[in-house]
Amino acid sequence: MPLAHSLADFKTSAAQCDSLIANAHQANPTTSFPILPPIDRQQITVAAFLNLFIAWETFIEGSLHELMTGGATLSGKRPIKYVSPADEAAARALVAGVGRAYFDYGNHNLLKPLVRMYFNKGYPYEPCLSASEQDFADIRTMRHAAAHITSNTQTALEGLATRVLRKPAIGITLYDLLMSSDPTSPTGATIYATYRDKLIVAADLIANG
């Protein structure tokens, strides 16, 4: 799929996630009370975040296969590449590797060495991946908390929340973190919105090269 389509699809998916969260928090115009009960608002918001992460993975997968098979960035540049798969299916198999059914496109720690191996200096994924390494790590921590809660994922989530909210966050849920105001945002954006914007910026940088 051309990079322009992959980028557009990602942004459309991000907008849909925003819509889900906004709709989940609608209030009754007469009483001003939320229409949905708390558990519904929480589950829809967490599911929307998980959908955003999946959309990011899909963008990375599509862009990687496109560039591996000779595609150009939106700026018209073609990466110097060290692999030449015949088509998308061959590119997918190459990325997965021998004996593996899939590659974890959402794991930046795996993606960074892969793109450096396949493209000269990792372009166009680098320097974006390295420059935003902490952000990707944070997003992955939240993704793990969305998928399953264990003592390990909860501890990691609390550590993340304490750092980004700049206050103790023992027992915090992913929903509460996502809907908290970002202390660094001049507009009072939520943590969800801050990290969504980070992914959109990263996707733009990669696609435009």
Side-chain angles (χ1 to χ4, degrees):
M1 178 186 294
L3 273 181
H5 292 173
S6 292
L7 181 61
D9 285 351
F10 172 66
K11 290 183 176 180
T12 297
S13 295
Q16 174 60 23
C17 295
D18 292 352
S19 178
L20 284 172
I21 294 174
N23 288 335
H25 291 85
Q26 284 188 350
N28 185 304
T30 302
T31 65
S32 297
F33 288 119
I35 295 174
L36 296 180
I39 188 64
D40 289 4
R41 298 197 300 272
Q42 294 165 14
Q43 290 185 354
I44 291 171
T45 300
V46 170
F49 171 78
L50 194 53
N51 287 346
L52 177 66
F53 187 86
I54 292 170
W56 167 253
E57 290 180 308
T58 301
F59 166 76
I60 290 296
E61 179 179 8
S63 65
L64 187 58
H65 296 165
E66 171 67 13
L67 295 172
M68 287 173 67
T69 53
T73 64
L74 300 187
S75 63
K77 298 178 182 177
R78 295 185 187 276
I80 298 173
K81 58 191 184 78
Y82 306 132
V83 291
S84 297
D87 52 29
E88 183 177 326
R92 181 178 293 107
L94 184 61
V95 171
V98 176
R100 294 189 302 178
Y102 65 91
F103 177 79
D104 187 355
Y105 292 93
N107 188 335
H108 61 287
N109 289 322
L110 296 178
L111 185 61
K112 286 200 303 179
L114 184 82
V115 298
R116 290 170 182 166
M117 182 169 56
Y118 288 173
F119 304 106
N120 184 40
K121 297 182 180 179
Y123 173 86
Y125 299 91
E126 291 287 18
C128 176
L129 292 180
S130 292
S132 303
E133 186 166 3
Q134 184 62 65
D135 295 332
F136 292 124
D138 291 348
I139 291 167
R140 192 163 176 81
T141 294
M142 290 188 280
R143 180 266 176 205
H144 288 333
H148 46 86
I149 291 295
T150 66
S151 59
N152 287 338
T153 59
Q154 181 62 31
T155 298
L157 182 66
E158 291 172 358
L160 165 61
T162 296
R163 175 166 51 81
V164 300
L165 298 179
R166 301 176 179 177
K167 62 182 180 181
I170 302 301
I172 195 169
T173 65
L174 177 58
Y175 169 79
D176 288 336
L177 175 58
L178 291 171
M179 299 310 296
S180 294
S181 295
D182 178 3
T184 67
S185 171
T187 61
T190 62
I191 294 295
Y192 163 81
T194 292
Y195 282 94
R196 175 209 60 209
D197 288 348
K198 290 176 185 293
L199 287 180
I200 290 175
V201 168
D204 276 327
L205 290 171
I206 290 169
N208 283 284

